[in-house]
Amino acid sequence: MRRRGFLAGALAAPAVTGLLPGCAPRRRRATGGKVRLRFQSLAWQKESVDAVRRLVGEWNAAHPDITVEYIQGSWDSVHDQLLTSFEAGEAPDIIHDAADDLADFAYGGYLADLGGLLPRRLKDDIPEHSWRTTTFGDGVFGVPFLQEPRVLIAHRAALEEARVRIPTARDPWSWAEFEDVARELTRGGRHGVAWPLKEPVSATLNLSLSTGGRLFHRGADGKVTIRFDAADQRVPRTIHDQVVRDRTASRTTLGMGGSDTLPGFFGGKYAMVPLGFSYRQQIVQQAPEGFEWTVLPSPAGPGGDLRQGVSPQTLSIAEDSPYREEAIRFLDFLLRPSPMVRLALGDWMLPTGARALRDPALRTRRYGWATGTALAGTLRPAPAQSVRGYPEWKDKVATPALQEYYSGAIGLDGLRDRLVGDGNLVLARYQR
């Protein structure tokens, strides 16, 4: 959902003095007893925007002395926009972002440490592994509140025609079985699977957790190095072989985003598409009448391991905000179980809160909600969550290397040389 431009990686380098804390003057509290909190939201789907705006309205009606001003932001430009506003001392008090975008802002001193401010109810309701996505060093710099697993969206008729076993969260396909099923589904001009990998890095790293892949290894000295071991290779090798060797996956979709694959999916060009859970909304809106589809769990690693990495949506507070306590009160209001369910339904994602996850509206079989909630306990922090230099490594090294490997332009040894050799040179510059 979120896009990060080239500048994100370049501006993350330690040599950039603008990332040093204290470079902008701290804002002062307004006089007169009135508090105005600026809340920048990145909600973009109508249902999601409406849900957030209604909740802001409910807060304002009940708290006339603490007014929340809704500001519309954009996932496409949020990193650079926030960097500019932080340096100018004009950042919103409350900031909507994603966990994998927080590291540079947290280490740079732009986000408030929420560790001592969080209400016990909110802290206890969100599991520890979710809090780890927003923990950098000894501080907590955001509240993770929405997340989405990667799932397989499949054409029900194609599965029935091929008479393949239908996987569940309790009995998923292994990666080997997934490859076999893709072969069974490839027939009559139809590919078994389409991998939309315009941005291949997060999909590859996050799915590789199921096979024990880590890629990034932190040593006793705190420094991170990259290794590309057998466990890291299993998922990328599957994708490569499906495209290049078995031809059970469509080559043309490698350069596509998820939405780009939907017309071909509806038209019968491929039977399955690995997508983020929230893409279900587009399918409901765009699928032709009578098109039957289903949501399946992603393939599992050894022993049925369904773990996968996620980068939850987050809510943070600016370090220079003079209204931290009031902002925390609003976050506690916004992220109560019932409002968290409303936000999840609006974004077609899963809430991180344990009580919200138990809501019947999120456990219905309709539109695959039950499959998603069954996977919630398998979600873990994305492997690169706290790695300094990750944006530059992703943009300059990993993305082109994986694209070339998946298309067959380079082999596994070439991919390893690029990810590890070139990658460790990048990370070393951030850890001097």
Side-chain angles (χ1 to χ4, degrees), residues 114-423:
L114 308 182
L117 298 173
L118 291 168
R120 175 56 59 183
R121 179 208 66 80
L122 184 59
K123 189 171 183 180
D124 290 347
D125 190 46
I126 296 174
E128 179 59 31
H129 59 256
S130 293
W131 285 115
R132 288 204 304 270
T133 66
T134 59
T135 299
F136 304 95
D138 296 325
V140 178
F141 295 93
V143 181
F145 72 107
L146 291 179
Q147 58 189 348
E148 62 175 330
R150 293 181 183 271
V151 294
L152 297 172
I153 307 294
H155 188 181
R156 187 186 298 275
L159 298 176
E160 294 173 352
E161 175 190 352
R163 297 183 179 180
V164 298
R165 182 181 73 83
I166 305 302
T168 65
R170 290 191 174 188
D171 190 13
W173 288 332
S174 66
W175 282 98
E177 190 174 3
F178 170 63
E179 292 178 282
D180 291 339
V181 168
R183 294 186 189 99
E184 292 293 329
L185 295 173
T186 300
R187 59 179 68 177
R190 180 188 66 206
H191 286 97
V193 62
W195 286 96
L197 291 174
K198 181 179 180 180
E199 297 187 8
V201 180
S202 64
T204 303
L205 296 186
N206 290 337
L207 289 175
S208 291
L209 281 188
S210 69
T211 61
R214 294 175 55 193
L215 200 72
F216 298 96
H217 299 264
R218 192 177 297 275
D221 59 358
K223 293 185 177 181
V224 176
T225 55
I226 298 170
R227 297 202 307 264
F228 191 55
D229 300 328
D232 302 295
Q233 298 167 17
R234 181 64 174 96
V235 171
R237 194 174 69 244
T238 294
I239 299 171
H240 169 274
D241 289 351
Q242 286 182 327
V243 174
V244 177
R245 185 191 68 190
D246 301 338
R247 301 192 178 181
T248 56
S250 169
R251 182 185 295 270
T252 60
T253 63
L254 290 177
M256 293 183 180
S259 299
D260 302 326
T261 63
L262 295 184
F265 177 56
F266 300 146
K269 291 184 178 180
Y270 10 87
M272 300 183 292
V273 188
L275 292 169
F277 196 54
S278 62
Y279 277 92
R280 296 169 303 127
Q281 183 190 38
Q282 293 183 49
I283 295 171
V284 169
Q285 293 174 338
Q286 299 172 20
E289 186 175 354
F291 183 84
E292 295 188 0
W293 54 282
T294 188
V295 179
L296 309 175
S298 292
D305 191 342
L306 279 170
R307 286 179 301 168
Q308 57 175 284
V310 291
S311 178
Q313 292 187 26
T314 59
L315 293 170
S316 301
I317 298 175
E319 168 66 19
D320 72 347
S321 172
Y323 305 118
R324 295 186 191 183
E325 293 184 2
E326 291 87 348
I328 281 288
R329 287 178 57 191
F330 173 69
L331 293 188
D332 191 36
F333 168 86
L334 193 67
L335 300 180
R336 292 170 298 151
S338 179
M340 195 182 279
V341 171
R342 290 161 62 182
L343 294 172
L345 291 171
D347 241 344
W348 289 67
M349 299 176 74
L350 299 178
T352 57
R355 292 178 61 189
L357 269 172
R358 294 196 292 267
D359 193 285
L362 301 178
R363 294 186 171 269
T364 176
R365 295 192 178 205
R366 194 181 189 201
Y367 303 143
W369 278 106
T371 299
T373 52
L375 297 173
T378 70
L379 305 181
R380 295 293 183 269
Q385 202 72 66
S386 61
V387 176
R388 299 298 306 272
Y390 168 74
E392 182 178 346
W393 173 81
K394 182 191 74 170
D395 293 340
K396 293 184 177 180
V397 176
T399 294
L402 285 168
Q403 287 173 337
E404 291 179 37
Y405 175 65
Y406 289 146
S407 69
I410 61 174
L412 193 64
D413 290 341
L415 176 63
R416 180 193 297 107
D417 291 343
R418 299 268 289 278
L419 296 181
V420 177
D422 296 347

Side-chain angles (χ1 to χ4, degrees), residues 17-48:
T17 56
L19 283 178
L20 295 176
C23 59
R26 187 178 180 99
R27 289 179 283 152
R28 298 176 179 271
R29 292 181 67 95
T31 58
K34 293 278 187 177
V35 172
R36 180 172 66 92
L37 295 172
R38 292 176 295 163
F39 168 34
Q40 178 168 293
S41 170
L42 302 180
W44 64 278
Q45 300 178 99
K46 184 181 184 305
E47 294 176 45
S48 180

Side-chain angles (χ1 to χ4, degrees), residues 11 78-91 105 110:
L11 292 176
V78 63
H79 185 91
D80 296 336
Q81 177 260 321
L82 283 175
L83 182 64
T84 301
S85 64
F86 282 136
E87 292 179 329
E90 299 175 350
F105 297 141
Y110 288 125

